[in-house]
Structures are given as C-alpha cells and as structure tokens.
Amino acid sequence: VSFLRDDVYDEDEVLIEEAPKIYEDGGSLEDIRERAYFFLNKYNEEFPSRKMELVLFEDALKHLLRIIRLIEAPRGSGMLVGVGGSGKQSLTRLAAYICRAKCFQITLTKQYNVNALMDDIRLLYRSAGHKREPTVFLFTESEIKDEVFLETINSILSTGEVPGLFAKDEMMAMTADLRQDFLRDRPGLEETQDNLKQYFTDCVRDNLHLMLCMSPLNPKFPVRARKFPSLVSAPTVDWFLPWPEDALVSVARGVIQDFDMECTPETKAALMSHMGMVHKMATDVCDE
C-alpha cells in the first residue's frame, strides 16, 4: 500500500510537508485495517456533514485497496458492480480521500439535463487537465436520467474527447498555461495547437478516474454494456459479491456492541435465543 507514512506538521499543527506516496509492504491485514480506520476518522472530522460509519471487515477492506490502486494508477477507472447498499459509494469516497483526490458526484435535480452534465464535466476537465489534479468522478446508475449521459461517459473512457465541450478560445487559453509542461514532457514534439490539445486530453485521461457504480440486478445493465462497450472494456471491473457471514457478524457487532442494556436473567435468556434465530436467518440468506 502507499498510505502508511504520515504528513509532517509543525508545533502549531500546520502542515509542512505531505507524506510521500511510496508503495510498500503494509504488513498484516490488521495493520492495514487500523491505518484505514485512521483515515476514516480523519475524513469524518473534516467532513462532519458527510460522516460515514463504516465497518471495514475483510472483504470491504480488500475492495477499498482495489479502488485505491485504480485511483493511483494513471488512467485507472473502475466499474463497481454490486447490489445497492454494498458500500460501493462509501468505499470510493474513502479511497479518494486516502489518495488526496477530489471526489465529485453530480447533484441530481428535476432540472438536471445533458447541458448540466456537460457543465459538470467541464469542471472535471479543468481540474484533471488544466490543473492536473487527481480527480474522481463517482457516477451511479440512479443518476442516468438520459441514456445520452452514458454516451458521454463512453466517450470519456474511450478517447477522453467530448465533442463541443470547450469553445476554441477557452481551449487555447488552457493549453497556453500547459505550454511549459508540454515542452518538458514531450521534447522534440512540435508546439502546435493540435499537439497542445492532445497533451491536455492526455492529462485529463491520466488524472480523471471514473468510478461507475452499477447493479447486476438492473435489466438495463447488460443492454447498456452492449450499447456502450467502453463502459465495460475501459475500466477495471470489481464485483461486490454478497457479504459473507463473518462480514454480517462484524457489522452487527460494530453497531450494538457499545449499546448498554439492563435486563433480568429471564429477559437475557430470551434475547440470546432470539439472537440465535436471527443469526440462523442471516446464515440462510448468505447460503441463498
């Protein structure tokens, strides 16, 4: 993993230097889990209005590590396939926070349309291409108000070019700011507007990471995969399979273990019997 090292702060708790991203041995899974909880607590402190109460059992932790690797890889994008409530969005937000990437999700309203989507994509392109900042675009199937949305997503994944996204003068202004980087990164290549534009597009593709959250139970899922092939071929597919029994037990324990309850011995015996029945029902659901 690449998130074991700490940031450097001065005596006044002012950030002096960000921790370097060095891919190294993380030790045991317990060590990595402890570190992941450290970042989860930091996230909840920084964003109290978006606080996440997550239980990082083994399967969830492994999915988190996969998403982190995708975000840290140039042009890394993911297709997260699983039923609703399996943690795809929460784990993506935490992974983006650990990677110091901006996580963006559209705000769906009744008036949200293709033009509004294009406005949001312009913001993402300026962040990933002009500013060259790691940016995560979290997109779920519930946000597909129009199938044209998927056509645009398909273009971003396949070529990185969206026709008519920027006016000519706006594109020229952004590529002019990237001129020094272009000369450094591509020596010997002629400094034409076409080459500068291609460099801008390549920066977008390197820094913009799409995380598509889809459910295999949706009958439109296979239809969309055939109609827009880059949705499946370009990103890495991560299947969120049904959580195992130990995961359900971990979540239940995390929710109720600190709950104080006073009761008589008879009530306690009845409660334990009831919990045994619930455990058997959960096991049967897992088996199915």
Side-chain angles (χ1 to χ4, degrees), residues 255-263:
V255 172
I256 67 174
Q257 68 178 353
D258 296 328
F259 185 81
D260 289 332
M261 183 170 56
E262 295 182 2
C263 60

Side-chain angles (χ1 to χ4, degrees), residues 20 123 134 177:
L123 294 175
D177 293 338

Side-chain angles (χ1 to χ4, degrees), residues 21-250:
K21 290 289 184 181
I22 300 175
Y23 198 70
E24 55 193 340
D25 184 4
S28 67
L29 204 59
E30 283 300 321
D31 295 332
I32 297 175
R33 181 182 287 110
E34 184 179 344
R35 187 67 175 170
Y37 273 120
F38 167 77
F39 282 104
L40 176 61
N41 293 331
K42 282 188 64 178
Y43 177 92
N44 290 336
E45 289 175 4
E46 288 188 32
F47 307 102
S49 61
R50 289 179 278 165
K51 189 175 182 180
M52 297 189 296
E53 299 289 347
L54 301 181
V55 177
L56 298 175
F57 48 86
E58 184 172 332
D59 279 33
L61 188 60
K62 289 180 178 179
H63 283 297
L64 176 68
L65 296 178
R66 293 187 191 108
I67 298 171
I68 288 174
R69 292 192 185 104
L70 290 175
I71 295 175
E72 292 188 338
R75 305 193 181 191
S77 293
M79 166 75 79
L80 312 182
V81 184
V83 297
S86 53
K88 302 185 292 295
Q89 297 183 53
S90 298
L91 291 177
T92 298
R93 292 191 187 95
L94 179 57
Y97 179 77
I98 292 174
C99 296
R100 300 197 196 100
K102 292 182 178 179
C103 186
F104 176 83
Q105 188 172 9
I106 65 176
T107 303
L108 205 60
T109 62
K110 290 183 178 180
Q111 291 77 30
Y112 197 91
N113 54 21
V114 176
N115 292 331
L117 177 66
M118 298 297 277
D119 289 339
D120 286 336
I121 291 176
R122 288 187 190 96
L123 294 175
L124 293 172
Y125 269 51
R126 292 189 185 100
S127 173
H130 188 201
K131 300 178 182 178
R132 304 179 69 180
E133 296 175 345
T135 306
V136 175
F137 183 19
L138 177 58
F139 188 75
T140 69
E141 63 183 4
S142 63
E143 295 160 352
I144 306 173
K145 288 191 67 175
D146 192 320
E147 294 296 307
V148 179
F149 286 17
L150 291 178
E151 187 175 335
T152 304
I153 299 296
N154 189 76
S155 298
I156 295 173
L157 288 169
S158 57
T159 63
E161 296 184 0
V162 180
L165 186 62
F166 292 106
K168 186 176 181 180
D169 57 341
E170 192 174 4
M171 176 60 72
M172 291 181 67
M174 288 190 295
T175 53
D177 293 338
L178 294 174
R179 179 177 174 274
Q180 294 300 323
D181 295 328
F182 170 81
L183 295 175
R184 183 188 67 246
D185 295 340
R186 304 197 173 169
L189 195 62
E190 188 177 355
E191 187 186 336
T192 64
Q193 183 57 33
D194 287 340
N195 287 339
L196 285 168
K197 183 180 178 181
Q198 185 59 50
Y199 179 71
F200 170 82
T201 302
D202 290 342
C203 289
V204 170
R205 300 187 71 189
D206 288 343
N207 295 305
L208 181 58
H209 308 280
L210 275 72
M211 292 296 159
L212 311 177
C213 301
M214 303 291 177
S215 171
L217 301 181
N218 190 332
K220 293 184 178 180
F221 178 63
V223 177
R224 289 165 172 167
R226 290 192 295 268
K227 191 175 181 180
F228 306 103
S230 291
L231 294 181
V232 177
S233 62
T236 299
V237 181
D238 185 11
W239 286 88
F240 280 64
L241 301 176
W243 298 131
E245 180 182 346
D246 65 314
L248 301 177
V249 173
S250 297

